[in-house]
Amino acid sequence: MYAGKTFSDPLELMNFAARHVPGALKLSQEMAWPYRREDWEFAAMVGQGLVLERAGEVIGTAMWWNYGEAYASAGMIIVTASAQGGGYGSRLFDGLLEATGGRSVLLNSTDEGLTLYKRRGFTTWGTVHQRQGLLTVVVTPNARDGIRPATVSDLAAIQVFDGRATGMPRPSMVAALADVGDVVVIDKEGRIAGYAIARRFGRGYVVGPVAAENAEEARLLVLAQLATLHGQFVRIDVDAEHGLSDWLDSLGLERVSHATAMVKGQRPVSDRAARMFALANQSFG
């Protein structure tokens, strides 16, 4: 990571710290991204990142999250509009790639970011659909589907299942998400076969991660979470290829945007019997 590097304009590239949160929040508001201060604080707590600062003002951010020795995810990459076109995004992103220490890096790109990432060796492998809206449909889950609230003793099994579904070791991230969210699991005679987390985020709540052994069980997990969120604004970021996106239309969660899933290096491989259907958010992967 960077202890501080001064450019001739003059800019400083430095590690993201707690004092940068207000400036980072201002940047995301400029982009009309729905992050709250709490969302920035959580992202910084579970990850790390870089800031471009000019005379004490945050003009750019780039965050990343460490998933073991082989993988990382990147996101929350923003440069203020008045500084765009000056190579600042490249400086930030090159610094981020250096900080990740040769790990394979995953990210979800807007259309505007594709050129930068492709120039840095990223390749595309999928699409993420952002679904959201005010939940007005009354959801009544089936009480006999094996889904129950998670307990503290389930955490280790949830972390193992997440690793199988993502192909990456993410125990710290899963523990942090579980600590701030409500967790439900699929319990098959004492075996955890899926989980879903709902937590405060952005304009309301986000449902994700959602990991399961098949799409039907992923839908049951989503319904179990939505049953507690009637009347709330809900967001779900789903993998386009797994079939949940169109189904969410029936619940009034409209597709509002998409992101291109990209990787630099080797894409992690999930266990065939466990898959990730919805993301915690597009930055965490």
Side-chain angles (χ1 to χ4, degrees), residues 73-123:
S73 66
M76 301 170 96
I77 301 165
I78 313 173
V79 174
T80 187
S82 62
Q84 289 179 8
Y88 301 128
S90 295
R91 290 181 182 180
L92 267 171
F93 197 62
D94 289 344
L96 182 148
L97 291 178
E98 181 180 339
T100 58
R103 291 173 175 83
S104 294
V105 179
L106 304 167
L107 58 79
N108 293 297
S109 175
T110 62
D111 290 343
E112 292 79 9
L114 286 174
T115 299
L116 170 63
Y117 303 138
K118 287 180 178 179
R119 286 175 178 170
R120 297 304 186 273
F122 282 77
T123 58

Side-chain angles (χ1 to χ4, degrees), residues 73-197:
S73 66
M76 301 170 96
I77 301 165
I78 313 173
V79 174
T80 187
S82 62
Q84 289 179 8
Y88 301 128
S90 295
R91 290 181 182 180
L92 267 171
F93 197 62
D94 289 344
L96 182 148
L97 291 178
E98 181 180 339
T100 58
R103 291 173 175 83
S104 294
V105 179
L106 304 167
L107 58 79
N108 293 297
S109 175
T110 62
D111 290 343
E112 292 79 9
L114 286 174
T115 299
L116 170 63
Y117 303 138
K118 287 180 178 179
R119 286 175 178 170
R120 297 304 186 273
F122 282 77
T123 58
T124 63
W125 62 267
T127 303
V128 174
H129 288 170
Q130 180 178 330
R131 292 273 180 172
Q132 65 186 43
L134 187 67
L135 185 64
T136 58
V137 175
V138 177
V139 176
T140 305
N142 186 341
R144 296 172 293 177
D145 54 24
I147 295 177
R148 60 168 175 81
T151 66
V152 173
S153 62
D154 293 320
L155 179 59
I158 293 170
Q159 290 167 322
V160 169
F161 194 88
D162 181 87
R164 292 173 55 205
T166 62
M168 300 182 292
R170 307 194 311 167
S172 296
M173 173 64 78
V174 173
L177 291 168
D179 188 53
V180 298
D182 294 318
V183 189
V184 295
V185 296
I186 295 180
D187 188 334
K188 294 185 178 180
E189 299 181 348
R191 178 178 68 88
I192 300 301
Y195 81 97
I197 299 178

Side-chain angles (χ1 to χ4, degrees), residues 34-43 76 200-202:
Y35 296 127
R36 305 169 301 150
R37 182 187 182 109
E38 295 88 345
D39 299 326
W40 274 102
E41 290 172 340
F42 182 82
M76 301 170 96
R200 285 294 312 275
F201 177 81

Side-chain angles (χ1 to χ4, degrees), residues 132-137 203 229-235 251-254:
Q132 65 186 43
L134 187 67
L135 185 64
T136 58
V137 175
R203 296 170 61 185
L229 296 174
H230 182 261
Q232 301 291 337
F233 186 89
V234 177
R235 171 174 171 172
L251 300 173
L253 301 179
E254 299 179 353

